[in-house]
Structures are given as C-alpha cells and as structure tokens.
C-alpha cells in the first residue's frame, strides 16, 4: 500500500501477561477502541512504527505528485487540465496532513524529508512506474487511488488519533480521485475512438500488476503485520485487501470493455471471489530496492526541488527575523 | 542557514456558525504566510469562513498525567445535567 | 462590432491560460510543499478564468468553437497573450516577480472591467477580481520576502525584475481594438491603468528594497497582436499535442 512492509521492530507479538503494567494499560485501551493521543504514554516501538508508517504514507503522496504532474501541461482539454491539477494538488495536501500527523510524534518534517532524500525512507512502489500516455492518468486514478482508498478507509479507525483524523480528511477528498480516473477512462473507452481505447488497454496492461503489488506481499505469517494489527494501525491483511480490490475492479473493467492482463483470472463460485494469477514478487522487491524504472528519477526530482528551494526557504526565514527585530526595536 | 519554518496549528470556523475547530498544522516563516498556507491547504473545498493560526510552540496543553485529577471530579456531579431532574408527566414541556 | 470584442476576450483568456500553464509547471517541484498547493491554486484560478473568457468569445463568434477549440487548435500567431506570461519560470524569484508584475496589472484591469457596459464581461471580471486580489497579495508578499530576505534572494529578485521589466510596457499600450471597445464602454483603456500599476510596483519594490528599472526603458511589444517570443511555440507544442494528434477526438 502507500506504506508497504512497515517494520515494527517486533520479533513476536507479546501477550498481555508478558507486558509491563504501563504497556498492558496501553494495549487494553487500544483493545477497547480508545484513541491514543500524542501526549499519552506509548511504547517506543509503537511511536517509531507509526513515524515510519505515516511518513512512508506522506512520502508516497509527495512522490506520487510526479508521475501525474508529468501530464498537467499536456492534458487534452481545459476541464481535464483543471481536474488533474486539483487532483495533484490534493496529493500535496494529503502529504501535508500526514506529515502534520507524524510531527505530533516528536519528529520534524525536515528530518522526515531528509530521510526520504537520503534514500533511507520508503514510499509506495507504484510511483516508480512511468506515465507514458494520457490513459495512464485515468488508470492511476481508477486503480492506484482505488487501491489506496481500500486501505485508507479502515485506517480512519486506527488507534492513533492524529493519523485517524488525517485519514478521515484524506478519504473524504480521495473518492473524487478514483472517480475522475474512471470517468476519464469512460471517455476513452466508451465514447472514444479505437486509438483512444487502445491507449487505455495499453495502460491497463502496464498498471494492473504493479497495482496488485501495492498491497504488499502476503503477510499472513508476518510478525510485523501481526504486531501492527494488535496496535490497530493495520486493520486488514494485505491478501484480504488485494482480494477485495480484484473483486471490485473486474466488473469495472468489463464495463469499460477492457481486458485484465491475467489469463488465470476467473470467478471462483465456491470461494465467492475471483482467482487470479501469481504476482512477480521479484519485480516488487527490486522496485522497492531502488531498481524500478523511475526510482532514481523520482528521488532526483524531489531532491532537486528541495535543494533548489533552499535559498527561498532561507530568505523567508531571514525576512521574518528582520521584521521581528524591527518590530522589537520600534517597541 | 538551514532553519526549518516554524510549525503553526490551524483552526477553522466552518460556514455553519460553529466555533473554530483544530484541523491540523502548517509550516510558515511568519503569521501572514501561516494564514495563507492554512487557506491554501485546508480550505480547498469551501471548508471555512475564518482561520486562526497559533504557533505550535505557544500552545499550552494539559498533561495526560493530570487527567484523573482534572476531569474525574466532574463525573459524579450529575445534578449539573437537566436529565437528573424528573419532570412530572403532567408538565409537558420544560 | 463583435470582431473587436472577440479579439479582446481572446487577449484576456490567452494571458490567463498561458500564465496558468506556466505556473502549473511548478507542481511537484516547488521550494516547499505548502507552495505546491498555493501555486496550484493560482494556476487553477487562471485556467478557470481562461475558460470563462473563451466560453464567451466562442459564443460571440458563433462558429461552434468551444473553449477547447480555442485553446488547443490555434497557432502561436493566433494567440493574443501578453509576452510577460510566456516567459520561462526560471527560478522562484523569476516566477514570483513575473506573477507580481502581472497581478498588479491584472488587478487594476479587472477592477476596471467590473464596470464594463457588457454585463457578461463585468460578471466574469467581478468573479476573477476576487481571485486576483489574493494572487496580488501573495505575490507582493513574496517579492518583499525575497527582496528583503538574504543577499542571495535579493540578488535573484533584482535580476528577475531587471530581466522582466521590458515586457511590462505592452500592458499599457492601446491599439485600435482597445480604442474601439473603450469608446463603447466595454473595455478599459490600458494607458489608464499605468499610474495605479506603477504605484503598486513602486510601493512593493520599496518594501522589498528593490529598485524598479526606469519607467521609460525600451519595451518589447507584440503579444496582443500575435507576435510572440520563441517560448510560446514550445508551450503550445506541449499543451496542444494530444488534440493535434487525435483530430476530432473527445477527452
């Protein structure tokens, strides 16, 4: 997902009887559905895991501006241009809400951004794929935002107050993202020319598997996943969400008249779900490691924006200090 | 120089005449830009008619450790709530 | 009669669109994330204004050209934007000084147009004026911060001002189109905006410790008549590529 494979620092999930009184009280509050707020006592591992998870999520929003931003200048109508601009702007906004939430845990945004630029922090694998045609913009809205919403709606109920409140805000805004993507594809596939439809099929062919990878590898056996679920900062398993996504998406593809590029995809009446083919996890781990088609480019672009902007940020601070000094002198 | 822009807490009053409500935070070098950033980041969808910003460093908060001492004493003063007092059937509205 | 008005509306729409297109190039690359959001808001306002001006121009023309036909299917020599807005983004000072010089003019212009005898023009101007009031505040603030910030930011802001100054003369030069519409009470005489503009620019420059170049410096012109700098061709090549490659397609 936007935060994939978050390390919790745990070797195993401990039972209540193995915890200190303070930890036990903390876990019991979580079990009772009470929100944890920034100033409350929390285990160090919970705090660190949350910083990792929320900042990964924030980085994903910010890096995620790049592949779509790539098409703002070439959007084929003024209406689509405005919609895309507003959408990419939302992503910046969502990044900001999330960094805000992370900052309540006692870390500064500059520190988090430094981690990203140094290549030490992760962001979602999906944003390391290129946007090659206009249909990619529709496909990202439909599949990538669709997958993201699936993960984010449950997170509105997560245990950490600021994260849950940020997610509520994000989810409210994000359903527009998925719809605009699907709407764009309807124009290409149902009302468009043969060339436009071919463009959409090509985009689906390229984005389908990376979209399924977004949910992360199967975590049924993962200790980190179990720990995150115990802390209620992860609500469903990766496989559950992925299955739900496939089940939801297949009929939507059918409506568009597009073929999902998976020969093994078929309805399983017994399970009441679609079966689907094997995911190339080798590709996923490589993208995560930095070997995706655009990893270097994305980080370079973010780093450059940051470095080129340093003198602007400094100037604003310098001016504020000068003005404060002048006011103090006048008083 | 490399100094981070200070953090500001943002409060927004919505259309409906409710009090300003905390919505999140923003970074800005000074108060004017804090208001503008809050406007640009937090009112993209008509969310507000008024904005307050306060430097996060200036917010004073009660300590979670004092929670029992501060808030529990109010719990047994149930007579402060109107529902504590039964209204006779015959008296329809009060 | 409506020939001149159509031309005038295209001038308004083209300047808004090209500046919106330029500003949107920043998204994802701004100096701080709050600025990505803020610049996107400015770009969205401008593109929205362009759509309104084009919509009206298309109706008056009555040849079935909608906002997209006007935006995506005209050649550079048919574009009527002022030269200032097509200048490259450069660094953040170049972008914000360009924005400020434009906003100060745009604001005065829209104030005038909100009194236009053409009710549709007045209505669009009233709406746009609210947006542009905010743009002008923002860009003025930034010019002051950059001018009176660090040595480096001061140098960059001054260089931007010196570089872009030559494109400001055109903002106040009237031609036959302007004259015809001014006589009808539809348009604002560009020359009449100059004093208010200079006043704003000088006040902000003073606060920013910047020096405005001499008002009688040599000025470039021609944008309003379709004679552009080399930059516009590239902007349009990029912006129009899809509709040009797929004639007749809907998006």
């Amino acid at each position: 997902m936007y935060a994939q494979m978050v390390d919790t620092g745990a070797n195993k999930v401990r039972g209540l009887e193995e915890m200190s009184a303070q930890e036990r009280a903390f876990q019991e509050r979580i079990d009772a559905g009470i929100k944890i707020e920034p100033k409350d006592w929390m285990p160090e591992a919970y705090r660190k895991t949350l910083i990792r998870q929320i900042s990964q999520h924030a980085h994903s929003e910010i890096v995620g501006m790049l592949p779509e931003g790539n098409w703002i200048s070439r959007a084929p109508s003024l209406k689509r241009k405005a919609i895309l601009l507003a959408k990419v702007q939302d992503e910046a906004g969502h990044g900001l809400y999330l960094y805000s939430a992370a900052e309540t845990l006692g870390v500064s945004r500059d520190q988090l951004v430094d981690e990203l630029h140094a290549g030490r922090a992760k962001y979602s694998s999906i944003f390391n794929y290129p946007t090659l045609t206009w249909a990619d913009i529709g496909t990202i809205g439909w599949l990538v935002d669709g997958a993201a919403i699936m993960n984010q709606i449950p997170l509105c109920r997560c245990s950490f107050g600021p994260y849950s409140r940020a997610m509520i805000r994000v989810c409210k805004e994000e359903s527009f993202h998925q719809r605009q993507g699907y709407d764009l594809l309807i124009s290409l596939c149902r009302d468009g020319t043969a060339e436009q439809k071919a463009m959409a099929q090509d985009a689906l062919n390229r984005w389908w598997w990376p979209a399924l990878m977004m949910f992360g590898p199967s975590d049924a056996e993962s200790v980190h996943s179990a720990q995150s679920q115990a802390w209620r900062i992860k609500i469903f398993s990766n496989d559950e969400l992925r299955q739900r996504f496939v089940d939801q998406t297949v009929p939507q593809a059918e409506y568009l008249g597009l073929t999902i590029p998976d020969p093994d995809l078929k309805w399983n009446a017994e399970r009441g779900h679609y079966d689907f083919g094997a995911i190339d996890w080798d590709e996923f781990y490589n993208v995560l490691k930095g070997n995706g088609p655009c990893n270097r480019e994305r980080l370079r672009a973010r780093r450059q924006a940051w470095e080129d902007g340093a003198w602007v940020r400094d100037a604003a601070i310098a001016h504020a200090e000068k003005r404060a000094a002048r006011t103090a002198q006048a008083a | 120089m490399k100094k981070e822009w200070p953090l500001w807490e943002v409060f927004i009053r919505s259309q409906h005449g409710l009090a300003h409500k905390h919505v999140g935070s923003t970074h800005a070098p000074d108060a004017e830009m804090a208001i503008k950033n809050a406007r640009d980041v937090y009112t993209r969808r008509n969310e507000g008619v008024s904005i307050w910003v306060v430097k996060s460093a200036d917010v004073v908060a009660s300590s979670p450790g004092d929670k029992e001492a501060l808030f529990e004493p109010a719990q047994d003063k149930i007579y402060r709530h109107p529902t504590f007092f039964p209204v006779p059937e015959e008296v329809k509205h009060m | 009669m409506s020939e001149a008005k159509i031309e005038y509306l295209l001038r308004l729409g083209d300047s808004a669109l090209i500046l919106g297109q330029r500003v949107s190039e920043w998204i994802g690359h701004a100096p701080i994330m709050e600025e990505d959001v803020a610049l996107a808001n400015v770009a969205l306002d401008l593109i929205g204004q362009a759509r309104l001006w084009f919509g009206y121009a298309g109706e008056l023309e009555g040849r079935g050209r909608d906002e997209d036909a006007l935006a995506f299917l005209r050649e550079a020599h048919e574009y009527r934007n002022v030269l200032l807005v097509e200048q490259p983004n450069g660094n953040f000072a170049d972008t914000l000084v360009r924005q400020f010089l434009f906003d100060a003019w745009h604001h005065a212009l829209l104030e005038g147009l909100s009194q236009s005898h053409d009710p549709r023009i007045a209505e669009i101007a009233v709406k746009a004026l609210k947006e542009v009031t905010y743009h002008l505040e923002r860009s003025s603030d930034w010019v002051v911060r950059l001018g009176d910030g660090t040595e480096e930011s001061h140098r960059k802001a001054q260089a931007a001002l010196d570089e872009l100054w030559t494109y400001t003369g055109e903002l106040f030069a009237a031609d036959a189109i302007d004259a015809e519409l001014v006589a009808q009470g539809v348009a604002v005489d560009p020359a009449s905006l100059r004093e208010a503009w200079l006043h704003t620019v000088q006040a902000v420059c003073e606060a920013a410790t910047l020096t405005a170049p001499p008002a009688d410096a040599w000025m470039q012109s021609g944008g309003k008549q379709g004679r552009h700098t080399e930059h516009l061709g590239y902007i349009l090549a990029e912006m129009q590529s899809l509709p040009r490659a797929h004639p007749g397609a809907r998006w």
Side-chain angles (χ1 to χ4, degrees):
Chain A
M1 198 32 59
Y2 277 19
Q4 292 159 331
M5 305 178 66
V6 181
D7 187 346
T8 59
N11 316 319
K12 72 182 196 73
V13 179
R14 290 179 305 156
L16 284 175
E17 66 291 349
E18 297 167 87
M19 295 177 180
S20 69
Q22 216 169 13
E23 266 182 284
R24 199 177 315 131
F26 171 83
Q27 187 62 50
E28 280 166 355
R29 290 183 64 197
I30 289 184
D31 294 343
I34 298 170
K35 294 262 186 266
I36 307 301
E37 294 297 336
K39 292 199 162 206
D40 293 341
W41 183 88
M42 61 184 81
E44 196 46 25
Y46 175 83
R47 197 181 72 88
K48 281 199 175 139
T49 304
L50 266 176
I51 291 176
R52 230 174 268 141
Q53 177 169 339
I54 300 173
S55 63
Q56 264 192 46
H57 197 155
H59 298 331
S60 297
E61 299 280 357
I62 296 302
V63 176
M65 296 171 76
L66 298 170
E68 289 176 280
N70 181 32
W71 280 89
I72 294 173
S73 63
R74 289 178 289 170
S77 75
L78 294 183
K79 184 183 90 179
R80 293 282 179 209
K81 188 188 286 292
I83 293 171
L84 180 58
L85 196 45
K87 195 217 158 185
V88 177
Q89 181 193 43
D90 271 352
E91 274 148 24
H94 296 172
L96 289 173
Y97 305 160
L98 286 158
Y99 284 122
S100 276
E103 285 180 285
T104 65
L105 291 160
V107 61
S108 81
R109 190 170 90 191
D110 279 10
Q111 274 172 280
L112 298 173
V113 166
D114 282 345
E115 291 284 302
L116 172 70
H117 294 169
R120 286 192 298 267
K122 280 187 272 194
Y123 57 87
S124 178
S125 53
I126 195 77
F127 300 117
N128 292 310
Y129 290 86
T131 48
L132 302 180
T133 72
W134 175 247
D136 290 32
I137 298 307
T139 310
I140 288 180
W142 173 38
L143 298 182
V144 175
D145 291 291
I149 293 171
M150 202 146 259
N151 178 56
Q152 286 165 358
I153 286 179
L155 282 176
C156 294
R157 293 182 280 123
C158 78
S159 64
F160 185 56
Y163 192 25
S164 107
R165 291 190 284 272
M167 283 302 41
I168 289 171
R169 234 188 142 76
V170 167
C171 285
K172 258 195 216 160
E173 300 181 352
E174 202 136 291
S175 49
F176 139 65
H177 295 185
Q178 187 183 17
R179 292 212 189 159
Q180 65 83 31
Y182 198 64
D183 179 70
L184 191 163
L185 289 173
I186 288 176
S187 295
L188 299 185
C189 296
R190 294 187 63 108
D191 311 327
T193 62
E195 278 169 321
Q196 286 175 306
K197 190 166 178 189
M199 205 187 270
Q201 181 64 55
D202 167 65
L204 177 59
N205 293 348
R206 284 179 289 110
W207 287 95
W208 175 253
W209 292 105
L212 292 193
M213 290 175 201
M214 278 178 73
F215 295 92
S218 176
D219 56 359
E221 308 289 317
S222 156
V223 61
H224 297 309
S225 186
Q227 179 61 71
S228 291
Q229 289 195 335
W231 281 335
R232 287 184 69 82
I233 51 178
K234 182 180 178 99
I235 314 289
F236 296 106
S237 79
N238 295 350
D239 287 332
E240 277 175 279
L241 289 173
R242 183 165 24 241
Q243 181 69 60
R244 219 183 274 183
F245 175 75
V246 173
D247 291 346
Q248 171 191 291
T249 308
V250 172
Q252 295 167 354
E254 282 166 2
Y255 178 79
L256 294 173
L258 295 178
T259 310
I260 290 177
D262 177 359
D264 297 325
L265 184 81
K266 62 170 185 297
W267 179 250
N268 182 329
E270 211 172 300
R271 287 202 311 128
H273 292 292
Y274 280 93
D275 290 337
F276 51 95
I279 292 169
D280 182 357
W281 292 112
D282 205 26
E283 175 179 325
F284 172 77
Y285 286 113
N286 266 293
V287 173
L288 225 51
K289 251 190 277 171
N291 295 327
C294 300
N295 292 60
R296 290 173 189 81
E297 210 176 316
R298 300 283 185 247
L299 263 193
R300 203 182 302 130
R302 284 309 309 162
R303 239 184 256 135
Q304 194 181 340
W306 188 247
E307 285 164 11
D308 289 354
W311 68 271
V312 177
R313 298 190 300 276
D314 288 349
I317 287 280
H319 178 73
E321 284 171 354
K322 276 189 202 176
R323 245 192 354 184
R326 266 178 241 149
T327 319
Q329 210 166 27
Chain B
M1 186 162 10
K2 189 144 173 52
K3 214 185 238 182
E4 187 163 5
W5 284 8
L7 193 62
W8 303 73
E9 298 303 319
V10 180
F11 301 80
I12 301 220
R13 178 146 55 80
S14 66
Q15 323 264 3
H16 319 296
L18 297 174
H20 285 77
K21 188 177 156 206
H22 184 246
V23 293
S25 57
T26 187
H27 285 269
D30 52 49
E32 286 82 3
M33 207 196 284
I35 291 273
K36 288 202 168 67
N37 287 349
R39 178 261 190 194
D40 283 322
V41 175
Y42 289 102
T43 68
R44 300 196 305 287
R45 288 176 172 77
N46 251 325
E47 290 94 335
V49 293
S50 165
I51 300 175
W52 289 349
V53 292
V54 182
K55 261 197 181 161
S56 308
D58 291 341
V59 172
V60 182
S62 64
S63 149
D66 294 342
K67 196 150 68 183
E68 290 171 15
L70 287 175
F71 306 113
E72 279 186 21
Q75 277 174 11
D76 66 351
K77 316 289 194 293
I78 45 176
Y79 42 78
R80 284 190 171 123
H81 300 276
T83 44
F84 178 75
F85 305 95
V87 176
E89 277 281 317
E90 294 77 2
V91 181
K92 291 238 157 61
H93 297 291
M94 180 171 282
Chain C
M1 174 204 121
S2 64
E3 287 285 302
K5 202 187 275 183
I6 293 164
E7 185 80 1
Y8 191 75
L9 291 168
L10 289 178
R11 291 175 177 182
L12 293 166
D14 289 348
S15 286
L17 176 59
I18 298 301
L19 187 56
Q21 175 83 357
R22 273 295 192 215
V23 172
S24 68
E25 290 170 22
W26 274 101
I27 313 312
H29 310 275
I32 191 155
M33 295 162 205
E34 278 82 359
E35 210 44 41
D36 285 292
V37 180
L39 289 166
N41 271 343
V42 173
L44 277 171
D45 288 342
L46 290 167
I47 291 165
Q49 291 166 17
R51 296 179 67 186
L52 294 174
W53 297 128
F54 287 162
Y56 188 25
E59 280 172 39
L60 283 183
E61 190 186 52
R63 280 168 41 203
R65 289 207 287 182
D66 62 4
E67 59 179 42
D68 289 329
L70 289 171
F72 294 94
L73 300 175
R74 277 182 303 142
E75 303 284 341
H77 68 88
E78 298 170 281
Y79 258 75
R80 296 291 182 255
N81 58 281
V82 293
L83 301 175
L84 178 64
V85 297
E86 66 198 43
Q87 300 313 305
N89 283 347
N91 63 38
F92 193 70
D94 295 320
T95 293
L96 263 296
V97 169
R98 180 186 67 197
Q99 188 74 40
F100 167 65
L101 295 172
F102 181 81
D103 291 343
W105 169 76
H106 202 196
H107 187 268
L109 172 68
L110 291 170
E111 254 180 350
L113 288 180
S114 60
Q115 309 294 321
S116 169
H117 289 182
D118 181 316
R120 181 85 170 268
I121 290 182
E123 184 193 335
I124 298 173
V126 166
K127 179 187 180 291
L129 182 60
K130 290 178 195 155
E131 298 167 344
V132 172
T133 302
Y134 184 73
H135 299 178
L136 177 59
E137 248 184 62
R138 233 184 71 80
S139 60
S140 307
D141 282 2
W142 262 119
V143 169
V144 172
R145 284 191 183 94
L146 296 179
D148 186 26
T150 61
E151 257 175 60
E152 182 182 8
S153 69
H154 177 85
R155 200 173 57 241
K156 287 184 157 127
Q158 185 64 54
L161 190 58
D162 294 342
E163 171 93 11
L164 293 167
W165 192 252
T166 189
Y167 300 109
T168 58
E170 183 188 18
L171 304 174
F172 311 104
D175 63 5
I177 305 272
D178 293 304
E180 184 182 333
L181 295 173
V182 169
Q184 295 164 18
V186 168
V188 182
D189 179 6
S192 72
L193 304 173
R194 189 145 183 275
E195 203 177 322
W197 180 83
L198 256 183
H199 184 77
T200 310
V201 169
Q202 274 161 356
V204 169
C205 281
E206 197 186 311
T209 70
L210 296 170
T211 314
D216 60 355
W218 174 255
M219 294 290 174
Q220 307 298 322
S221 64
K224 283 178 11 173
Q225 291 82 27
R227 292 189 312 277
H228 291 277
T229 59
E230 288 178 349
H231 306 293
L232 184 66
Y234 291 96
I235 296 176
L236 296 186
E238 187 172 350
M239 186 176 88
Q240 300 179 336
S241 56
L242 269 179
R244 295 278 192 193
H246 299 263
R250 304 195 60 81
W251 302 93

